[in-house]
Amino acid sequence: MKTPKRPRLITKPQRFGAAWYRGDHYREKQPYLTLAAHAREHNEFREVIDSALTYAAPNSRKTSVLEIGPGDAPIAENISFRERIYIDQAQGLLNEIKTRREKYETARERVTGIKRVRPRVYVQGKLEQLPIRSRVGTIIMNEVLTHIKPNERLRVIQRLVPQTDGFVIVDRPQLPIEKLREIHRAIAGRGTFEHELRKLQATYVRFKPIIAYIRNSGFDTQVSLVSIDETQYVVFAARRKKPLQEK
């Protein structure tokens, strides 16, 4: 009887990669470097993200935020919210950001003598079976759509629109095959097969139908572009013209 092969654990950040086509790529305790963590030292990215959050949640201190797939560096921490909800399928990452936050709050209380803790909820779950049923003020998806099959991305947005008054979505915009071939050659130092490029292209997000749907659902929108290490990202923000009451 053959011994089953153990799933391969990614030991360093993958420039191109999405869970849905890499099989066991997204595993518990995977040392996966998120865009937010990678960009901590990039002031331009921080400024664009803060602008998007302020646009999507102008009254953030009075509303809640749901960040889907926060990884190890949730961007919902960039500005104040009444309540933060984090959902990730990796319990290890949730434990990490929870522990880090608790240490920070303890240290601040020791120095200032003031205990100011805004509620934070950590939920393990998948986007396909979103466990949060109540409405939230803002939904953040930072490099989440790339982990969803292309033909399912718009359906995910359609399901989330009735649950929120604002969006912040960050991801890499879809590029032509020739541009991807040029990028891949520069990084890998070699050419690649057409089917590999098609698979790679599918990890990039086609924003046009997503933006159109959200606009047609009664939202004002803001779109920014930012480059990090020669990789371009779309930072999309939206806020409902007539906010709904949170439940």
Side-chain angles (χ1 to χ4, degrees):
M1 182 177 179
K2 293 184 178 180
T3 303
K5 292 183 179 180
R6 294 180 64 186
R8 183 169 63 93
L9 180 64
I10 305 299
T11 56
K12 57 184 179 180
Q14 300 297 297
R15 192 177 185 87
F16 304 116
W20 58 266
Y21 82 91
R22 291 190 67 84
D24 293 306
H25 171 78
Y26 205 106
R27 294 187 59 213
E28 183 78 16
K29 298 181 181 179
Q30 174 195 0
Y32 181 81
L33 189 62
T34 64
L35 167 64
H38 182 60
R40 284 191 183 108
E41 304 302 322
H42 293 73
N43 291 331
E44 181 188 2
F45 175 78
R46 173 98 186 198
E47 290 171 2
V48 172
I49 287 294
D50 288 356
S51 173
L53 289 169
T54 302
Y55 183 90
N59 299 312
S60 62
R61 290 178 178 271
K62 299 180 180 180
T63 63
S64 60
V65 61
L66 165 63
E67 183 162 355
I68 301 170
D72 62 346
I75 61 177
E77 297 291 342
N78 284 27
I79 66 173
S80 295
F81 286 93
R82 185 194 71 209
E83 180 185 39
R84 296 174 177 85
I85 305 167
Y86 297 120
I87 294 181
D88 203 298
Q89 69 181 57
Q91 186 63 49
L93 288 174
L94 292 174
N95 292 340
E96 181 181 338
I97 61 176
K98 181 180 180 180
T99 300
R100 189 165 64 238
R101 189 67 202 182
E102 289 173 347
K103 287 181 179 179
Y104 171 79
E105 297 289 354
T106 300
R108 185 175 64 177
E109 183 181 355
R110 187 183 302 118
V111 173
T112 64
I114 301 174
K115 187 174 183 178
R116 296 189 312 173
V117 180
R118 290 185 179 273
R120 287 171 176 78
V121 179
Y122 304 88
V123 181
Q124 183 181 17
K126 295 183 179 181
L127 181 58
E128 293 80 1
Q129 297 92 31
L130 199 63
I132 302 299
R133 300 300 178 204
S134 58
R135 189 174 293 125
V136 294
T138 306
I139 292 177
I140 298 173
M141 303 173 73
N142 181 16
E143 282 200 304
V144 170
L145 292 178
T146 186
H147 293 281
I148 300 171
K149 292 181 180 179
N151 62 348
E152 296 175 2
R153 290 168 184 163
L154 184 57
R155 287 201 292 270
V156 166
I157 296 299
Q158 290 170 339
R159 198 166 80 248
L160 294 176
V161 161
Q163 292 184 264
T164 187
D165 288 331
F167 282 98
V168 173
I169 302 174
V170 184
D171 231 306
R172 297 167 301 166
Q174 193 173 75
L175 298 174
I177 287 292
E178 287 305 316
K179 182 63 176 178
L180 286 176
R181 182 177 285 111
E182 178 184 328
I183 293 172
H184 192 274
R185 187 181 297 275
I187 293 172
R190 63 173 179 82
T192 189
F193 294 108
E194 190 73 14
H195 72 277
E196 291 179 325
L197 287 174
R198 293 292 177 187
K199 184 180 289 188
L200 178 60
Q201 187 185 45
T203 69
Y204 288 72
V205 177
R206 189 166 172 260
F207 271 90
K208 188 174 180 179
I210 292 171
I211 293 173
Y213 181 83
I214 292 177
R215 281 176 177 167
N216 292 336
S217 299
F219 288 76
D220 290 322
T221 61
Q222 170 183 287
V223 182
S224 304
L225 291 175
V226 62
S227 294
I228 297 176
D229 293 346
E230 300 181 2
T231 300
Q232 192 175 65
Y233 292 89
V234 166
V235 179
F236 170 70
R239 63 186 179 203
R240 194 180 291 275
K241 296 177 181 178
K242 295 182 179 180
L244 304 172
Q245 185 175 356
E246 289 188 40
K247 293 182 180 180

